[in-house]
Amino acid sequence: MTLPYALDTITVAQIAKFESKIMKILITGGAGFIGSNFVHYWAEQHPEDSIIVFDALTYAANRASLASLQNKITFVEGDITDREAVDAVMAGVDCVVHFAAESHNDRAIADPFIFTKTNVIGTHTLLESARQHKVSRFHHISTDEVFGDIPLNEKYKFSESTRYNPRSPYSASKAGSDHVVNAYFETYKLPVTISNCTNNFGPYQHPEKLIPRSIIRLLHGQNIPIYGEGNQVRDWLYVKDHCRAIELILQKGKIGDTYCVGGMTEEVTNLQIAQKLIKALGLSENKIEFVTDRAGHDVKYAIDWSKINKELGWQPEHDFDTWLTTTVEWYKNNEAWWKETANEAESFYKAQGEQVLTK
Ligand code: NAD
Ligand code: DAU
């Protein structure tokens, strides 16, 4: 049996493909947060390409995020676990950029099985279809959460060689998807790349996540609900920096490789983020309340992004404070985009029994 691709010809073929002018790119999950930012980014940077967005329009999607691109992209509503639908959209595709996933930890605690279905089975379905259709590149978007968490008093960071140690149903499902992607490279020589990035922030993020939730609640005169003591640390990455990292990986990344993408050089706790948001909106510090903690709450994520820096010349361009303020402005000016989903997000937290413990 001959394999669809010979390993050492992939790189050459890939470079030729990605340097050539026109490409048909399939973006899964393009109606979600990072996916929609990437669709905007790609349409702007590569206007000659044909962009297909494939998205099941779950609760996390927002068609309004793509409204201004209506005439520039093809939108296909469909589920990545549906092989027939996936095959139909995969025909003639050169490159897949796979964002579609269940992405929220709190929802994974409440209802974990859909995470395994979408994130593992859905990714596997896409990979098999991509293999059958001989796509030239499959880029999988993953998370730093697959590495577990870092004790607060430790200074080390996650890198491409960190052992997988997921601690939540969401991160376990993402870890599972990464393993299947790697298996398709090792076994079938499917030309894959993976990026494991940390927490993104910016426009079009669902109001269930910390930064948009906090901004929207402050705009409504409510408090920011902080889990536990608020001493957890994330490594915040402005979404546009993430989009540029993916572009570079597609253009210059090594087939079969993983790239870690992070943002911060200094640690900022959730509590400090809440304080920055309160300040950005010109309010006072008593707008914070401590609520029921997340089960199995990961305390710290931090990414060593030296590989992508050295090999592909990427580094974050957007500093946290400036882009946090820009993000606050975006939410202030786009109430129509978030109004409905913010209500749904708050209903979700209420149904989970989130309780205010202290102020
Ligand atoms: P999101 O929840 O905002 O959007 C997910 C999108 O996927 C939605 O449009 C949804 O409709 C779609 N989707 C869900 N299930 C689907 C299915 N079965 N078939 C087709 N489409 C489906 O997610 P996000 O925050 O934009 O994250 C995008 C990707 O990046 C995910 O793979 C996530 O694991 C990863 N990631 C996110 C972050 C972050 O900070 N948000 C960080 C690291 C990695
Ligand atoms: O690290 C990458 C991950 O970042 C991605 O893989 C996930 O898809 C993405 O959702 C994000 O996960 P987190 O769980 O870190 O993000 P979230 O915005 O839900 O929470 C950030 C931190 O803030 C976390 O420590 C929990 C805390 N938090 C969150 C909410 C929603 C609060 O204290 N209060 C809140 O209301």
Side-chain angles (χ1 to χ4, degrees):
M1 189 184 124
T2 44
L3 294 167
Y5 305 98
L7 186 52
D8 50 356
T9 58
I10 293 168
T11 319
V12 178
Q14 277 307 116
I15 291 165
K17 175 69 79 182
F18 282 90
E19 281 179 354
S20 77
K21 287 242 45 88
I22 298 171
M23 180 168 72
K24 190 169 173 185
I25 182 168
L26 174 65
I27 302 173
T28 72
F33 164 44
I34 310 175
S36 62
N37 276 281
F38 184 78
V39 175
H40 280 276
Y41 182 87
W42 201 267
E44 206 177 292
Q45 301 296 322
H46 304 275
E48 70 284 359
D49 283 353
S50 158
I51 300 175
I52 306 164
V53 173
F54 187 71
D55 196 297
L57 296 180
T58 69
Y59 83 93
N62 195 331
R63 281 296 301 265
S65 310
L66 299 174
S68 62
L69 293 174
Q70 224 169 0
N71 301 323
K72 297 187 176 158
I73 62 170
T74 304
F75 183 87
V76 179
E77 183 175 348
D79 191 322
I80 56 167
T81 65
D82 176 349
R83 178 65 194 270
E84 216 175 300
V86 166
D87 277 344
V89 82
M90 195 68 76
V93 162
D94 299 300
C95 168
V96 178
V97 185
H98 173 37
F99 295 91
E102 289 292 336
S103 73
H104 191 34
N105 276 296
D106 292 318
R107 294 201 188 245
I109 294 164
D111 186 11
F113 278 94
I114 183 72
F115 284 70
T116 306
K117 184 179 179 213
T118 298
N119 299 355
V120 183
I121 307 290
T123 301
H124 197 163
T125 307
L126 285 168
L127 286 163
E128 185 55 25
S129 180
R131 178 169 86 94
Q132 298 294 339
H133 287 87
K134 297 183 167 42
V135 301
S136 302
R137 176 66 80 85
F138 188 101
H139 182 70
H140 176 58
I141 311 295
S142 192
T143 169
D144 58 359
E145 290 194 32
V146 298
F147 303 122
D149 71 348
I150 301 169
L152 284 178
N153 57 349
E154 294 283 356
K155 291 285 169 219
Y156 70 86
K157 296 185 174 192
F158 299 137
S159 74
E160 292 78 6
S161 58
T162 304
R163 189 174 75 89
Y164 274 43
N165 184 29
R167 299 180 64 253
S168 72
Y170 161 68
S171 52
S173 69
K174 291 298 289 187
S177 68
D178 292 10
H179 291 317
V180 187
V181 174
N182 280 320
Y184 266 64
F185 171 67
E186 297 295 343
T187 310
Y188 304 112
K189 307 300 175 215
L190 186 72
V192 306
T193 38
I194 298 180
S195 48
N196 292 86
C197 78
T198 188
N199 292 56
N200 285 220
F201 70 103
Y204 303 123
Q205 186 169 28
H206 194 280
E208 68 189 355
K209 304 283 166 65
L210 175 68
I211 290 178
R213 186 182 188 201
S214 301
I215 299 169
I216 291 167
R217 286 181 59 109
L218 290 176
L219 290 173
H220 282 150
Q222 296 164 332
N223 294 325
I224 298 179
I226 289 292
Y227 297 170
E229 293 174 7
N231 56 353
Q232 298 80 13
V233 173
R234 300 293 186 260
D235 183 346
W236 295 94
L237 168 70
Y238 189 63
V239 65
K240 203 163 180 181
D241 278 330
H242 184 193
C243 294
R244 203 164 34 79
I246 299 165
E247 180 188 41
L248 275 173
I249 296 168
L250 290 175
Q251 290 171 333
K252 300 199 268 174
K254 184 164 173 263
I255 301 300
D257 264 24
T258 286
Y259 295 87
C260 281
V261 186
M264 307 289 285
T265 46
E266 280 171 36
E267 293 188 359
V268 179
T269 64
N270 292 344
L271 203 51
Q272 286 168 325
I273 288 178
Q275 285 155 355
K276 285 174 189 286
L277 293 173
I278 289 163
K279 196 168 158 210
L281 283 160
L283 302 165
S284 70
E285 298 254 333
N286 62 7
K287 301 303 288 180
I288 291 173
E289 61 193 23
F290 294 91
V291 301
T292 327
D293 203 356
R294 174 183 283 173
H297 197 166
D298 285 343
V299 288
K300 181 168 132 184
Y301 308 138
I303 281 279
D304 168 358
W305 42 265
S306 55
K307 174 179 171 177
I308 187 167
N309 177 251
K310 278 192 204 118
E311 293 186 11
L312 309 185
W314 178 90
Q315 64 179 43
E317 279 175 0
H318 296 90
D319 84 277
F320 185 62
D321 287 350
T322 310
W323 290 89
L324 195 64
T325 309
T326 310
T327 304
V328 168
E329 287 305 307
W330 190 86
Y331 280 90
K332 268 168 79 177
N333 295 330
N334 287 280
E335 183 173 351
W337 182 88
W338 52 256
K339 202 173 173 145
E340 206 178 309
T341 45
N343 288 335
E344 286 163 15
E346 289 307 325
S347 304
F348 164 76
Y349 286 115
K350 200 169 166 203
Q352 299 317 303
E354 181 178 278
Q355 280 186 357
V356 180
L357 304 173
T358 50
K359 281 193 187 173

